[in-house]
Each structure stands twice: as structure tokens, then as C-alpha cells.
Amino acid sequence: MTRIAFIGGTGPEGLGLAMRFAKAGEEVFIGSRSEQRAAEAVAKVLEKVPSARVSGGLNAEACRAGEIVFVTVPYEAHKDTLASLAELIDDKILVDVAVPLQFGGHGVRALDVPEGSAAEQARALVPNAKVVSGFHHLDATLLQNVEKPMQGDVIVCSDHRAAKRTVMELAEKIEYLRAVDGGVLANSRYVEEWTALLLNINRIYKARTGVRIVGI
Amino acid sequence: MTRIAFIGGTGPEGLGLAMRFAKAGEEVFIGSRSEQRAAEAVAKVLEKVPSARVSGGLNAEACRAGEIVFVTVPYEAHKDTLASLAELIDDKILVDVAVPLQFGGHGVRALDVPEGSAAEQARALVPNAKVVSGFHHLDATLLQNVEKPMQGDVIVCSDHRAAKRTVMELAEKIEYLRAVDGGVLANSRYVEEWTALLLNINRIYKARTGVRIVGI
């Protein structure tokens, strides 16, 4: 079984995470709505990480193949994608990276999610899964710069302690990143919305920012 | 004119900020609903910072005395306090430190604010003021430990550029703190709600955390 699979792994964030995990020696599977785009993404991972153990295919295959399934689709596709794949994901660890954002001339705003957060929406749609949220604050371009170390923390929220621990250990396979226990899944709202602030700060400072918790 | 005045300066956060600003050589005025409690808080500041230029009195006096007015009342008192003092605050710089939180057995949650954030509520209540939000993530106990340096960032949001700049410079008078431009006042929502996450992390790690933006 492939260890880490991505639903929507051809987007910048999924691709960046796949590269970093492949570089750390993890086996990854890139899922897409298109086999063609999945194959292109696999080639991109191999270009950056020649030693990568990587394969690709349709999102449904990703759900079957992965021991841990990441969902890295744009938020607009979050609900429909998870609803259609829920049975295949079943009781696996589902890592939700979605950030409900609205981009406008005035800047970036967090969208209200009826369930409280994208991660809680995932829990409602895939009730058997052990939903874990994390990785929201890692800049996709920096992730794909695999030669340069990342910096900052990955704040991980979940109601499933063992699954949270597994995902925190996974996050720390990416060099220099630290995983921080963010508590229950309902806290994901604060983590997701913070992304809007970081993107506004990126615009002000012309930078690619992340976050670090000080004092621990 | 006293430079920095506090509405609700006898609470732990206001008191901690007053001590730090006094230590930095700023003149401070501690406002309270009670002259007696204001006098006690002044004594506490002098105990920690013998060289402090500090005085105290009623909140209304604080609004008159301060060039920059901080509001550090608990969120429950935020609306009524500002409504009653709006005329006295008038067009001054009003620094809002309020965090709309709900404490429960399950942890800490951010409260929804009809205006979007406490800072936007302040703007609605005191329309002449130049409202700036900041200082939410500085632990009150650490602030009062004036011998130890603080760490982390003060994220400052406002629609008034000059006022924001003034408050950012003020934040950096506290040793080792860095001010970060958080953009417009509407972004204060993300900054305020993040406090709920930090308090939950504090509970998990038995720590007193703050936040730092990496990449700038």
C-alpha cells in the first residue's frame, strides 16, 4: 500500500507536499480528475526528486491506494469531491489542507463555513474517516523549492489522538518543520482563517510567510 | 498630556502593558471604573518599575489624559464601555486589545461578533477614533514579568496608516517584540480569533505561547 495519497495532488499545494514527502523517502500517490494531469504531476515530482517513489492516477485510485489520504483540492471543489469519494476513503486518516478563502481587490478574506471549518465539513461528509487538519500555512512555491529548508510550524487539529500523532510525525519528516498539537478539530477554524491573514501580510511585505508558535 | 492611557488598565493585560510601556520610559495613565483600584494598579506598576511615570483615575479621565488610548477591558464590557466613552475618546488613536472569547470545559472558543471583530465593533461605536487593533497575543503574566524579555510579534491592523505606524513603533518599545503590519482593520478578526487557538495550545502544552510570523 502506498503510504501517502493526494486527492487533487496536481495543484500547487498538493504537488509541493508530494515533493517534500517524496524527498523524505515516503511513497506518494498523486490523484487527479485526469490521468493525464496526474502523469504530468508525477513527472514534475521526479524532476525535482529523482529518487522519488511516486505514482499517479485518478482520485478514486488515490483513495484506494493511500494509507493516509490528503485532500488538497481548491475549497470550491472541497464539498463535492469529498462527498463523491467518501465511501472509498472510509475509515482512513484524511488530512484536510483546505482553506476557505475569497480573493478580492481589497485582499483575501476567510469564507464562513456552515460546519465551522473546512475540516469539520470533511468530518460531516466522510463520517468514518479520522479527519486531521494541517499544513495550511506552508507556501506552495516554497514547498516546491525542495532544495531550500522550510520554516515554521504545522499546526495539527483532530478529534482522533492516534491519527493526529501520526500526522504530526509525518509533518516533521519535512526538514526543519515542527508539528504543534492544535487540539480538537473545531480549532481548525482558527488555523484555516489565519491563512487569510498570512496572505494579506504576504501582499503587504511582498513575502511568503508562515507561522511559528513561540513559548513551546 | 500623558502619552498612553488605559481604559480598564487594572486587568492583567492592561496592567502588564502599562508596566512594559512604563519600563520603556513612556508616561502611562491607568483608568478604571474605581479610583481605588486605579490607585492600587499604579502602586503595582511602581513596585515593578520604580522609575515609572504613572498615574491613575477613572476611565473618563484616561480618555481625556491619553494621547493614545488603549481599551483593555474584558470583552463582556467592551461594547458598553466604549459606547459610554465615545465622545471623550473622540478622534484619538484607540488601540483595541479585546479578544471575544468563550471559556468552557471543552476549551476556549472565539465568539462571533456581529461587526466581524471586536476592533470593528469599536470602530462602529467610536466612529471619530482612529481604531488600531493589536497586542492580543501577549500573555498577561509574561508581560508583568518585566525583568524577562517578551518574544513574538505584535500584529497590528488598522484602516489609518499613520495611526498604525505610531502603534507599531510603540509595540517595538517593548524589548524584543516585533510589530507586523496586519493590514486593514477587518483583518483583526483573524488576529483576535487566533488567541483562542493559542489558549488551547497553552492548555495542551502547559505553556504561555505567542506567535511569530516567519518569512519576513
Side-chain angles (χ1 to χ4, degrees):
Chain A
M1 178 178 266
T2 305
R3 186 150 157 75
I4 305 166
F6 291 86
I7 300 170
T10 60
E13 189 75 14
L15 196 55
L17 287 171
M19 287 171 179
R20 292 282 176 168
F21 287 133
K23 195 181 173 218
E26 299 289 321
E27 198 178 346
V28 299
F29 185 102
I30 303 210
S32 172
R33 283 175 301 165
S34 143
E35 288 192 318
Q36 172 66 24
R37 284 207 302 281
E40 288 163 10
V42 166
K44 283 182 194 166
V45 173
L46 283 167
E47 192 188 329
K48 288 281 180 77
V49 186
S51 66
R53 295 185 294 157
V54 57
S55 50
L58 295 175
N59 283 328
E61 292 176 67
C63 295
R64 285 193 201 92
E67 186 183 334
I68 299 171
V69 180
F70 278 66
V71 54
T72 50
V73 295
Y75 179 67
E76 299 73 56
H78 185 259
K79 193 170 188 171
D80 290 348
T81 303
L82 287 178
S84 69
L85 296 169
E87 279 187 37
L88 292 173
I89 299 167
D90 194 28
D91 65 352
K92 291 182 177 181
I93 295 176
L94 178 65
V95 184
D96 200 336
V97 187
V99 276
L101 297 179
Q102 186 174 47
F103 293 83
H106 55 284
V108 184
R109 284 176 44 196
L111 285 172
D112 281 328
V113 180
E115 294 84 354
S117 62
E120 288 161 284
Q121 184 179 82
R123 182 176 61 189
L125 293 164
V126 197
N128 288 345
K130 294 180 271 293
V131 178
V132 179
S133 100
F135 302 92
H136 309 82
H137 306 142
L138 303 180
D139 182 89
T141 300
L142 296 183
L143 279 173
Q144 293 184 35
N145 256 336
V146 291
E147 295 310 318
K148 291 202 177 163
M150 296 294 295
Q151 55 177 334
D153 289 338
V154 175
I155 299 161
V156 182
C157 303
S158 181
D159 296 334
H160 297 269
R161 282 177 174 270
K164 180 160 64 176
R165 184 56 49 190
T166 298
V167 174
M168 287 176 71
E169 285 168 8
L170 196 59
E172 295 196 340
K173 295 208 176 232
I174 302 177
E175 275 180 297
Y176 297 102
L177 288 186
R178 178 179 68 164
V180 170
D181 185 344
V184 296
L185 200 68
N187 291 342
S188 184
R189 169 179 154 198
Y190 315 124
V191 179
E192 294 171 22
E193 295 190 350
W194 185 257
T195 316
L197 180 72
L198 290 182
L199 292 175
N200 283 308
I201 290 174
N202 284 356
R203 190 181 291 207
I204 293 165
Y205 287 88
K206 304 191 194 315
R208 298 182 182 279
T209 61
V211 71
R212 189 160 184 90
I213 306 293
V214 299
I216 50 172
Chain B
M1 180 179 264
T2 304
R3 186 149 157 75
I4 305 165
F6 292 85
I7 300 170
T10 60
E13 190 74 12
L15 196 55
L17 287 170
M19 287 171 179
R20 292 282 176 170
F21 288 132
K23 194 181 173 218
E26 298 290 321
E27 196 177 348
V28 299
F29 186 101
I30 302 208
S32 170
R33 284 174 301 164
S34 143
E35 289 193 316
Q36 171 67 21
R37 285 206 302 282
E40 286 163 12
V42 166
K44 283 181 194 168
V45 172
L46 283 167
E47 191 188 331
K48 288 281 180 77
V49 187
S51 65
R53 294 186 294 157
V54 56
S55 50
L58 294 175
N59 283 328
E61 291 176 67
C63 296
R64 284 193 202 93
E67 185 183 335
I68 299 170
V69 179
F70 278 66
V71 55
T72 50
V73 295
Y75 180 66
E76 300 74 56
H78 185 258
K79 192 170 189 171
D80 290 349
T81 303
L82 287 179
S84 70
L85 296 169
E87 278 187 39
L88 292 172
I89 299 166
D90 195 27
D91 65 352
K92 292 182 177 181
I93 295 177
L94 178 65
V95 184
D96 199 336
V97 188
V99 277
L101 297 178
Q102 185 173 47
F103 293 82
H106 56 285
V108 184
R109 284 175 46 196
L111 285 172
D112 282 328
V113 180
E115 295 84 353
S117 62
E120 288 161 285
Q121 183 179 83
R123 183 177 58 191
L125 292 164
V126 196
N128 288 345
K130 296 179 270 292
V131 177
V132 179
S133 100
F135 302 92
H136 309 82
H137 305 143
L138 303 180
D139 182 271
T141 301
L142 296 183
L143 279 173
Q144 293 184 35
N145 255 336
V146 291
E147 294 311 318
K148 291 201 177 163
M150 295 297 293
Q151 54 178 334
D153 290 337
V154 174
I155 299 162
V156 181
C157 302
S158 181
D159 296 335
H160 297 269
R161 283 178 173 271
K164 181 161 63 175
R165 183 57 47 191
T166 298
V167 174
M168 288 175 71
E169 285 168 9
L170 196 59
E172 295 196 340
K173 295 207 176 234
I174 301 178
E175 276 181 296
Y176 297 103
L177 288 186
R178 179 179 66 166
V180 170
D181 185 344
V184 295
L185 200 68
N187 291 341
S188 184
R189 171 180 152 196
Y190 315 123
V191 179
E192 293 172 21
E193 295 191 350
W194 184 258
T195 315
L197 181 71
L198 290 182
L199 292 175
N200 284 307
I201 290 174
N202 284 356
R203 191 182 290 208
I204 293 166
Y205 287 89
K206 304 190 193 317
R208 298 182 182 278
T209 61
V211 72
R212 189 159 184 90
I213 306 294
V214 298
I216 50 172

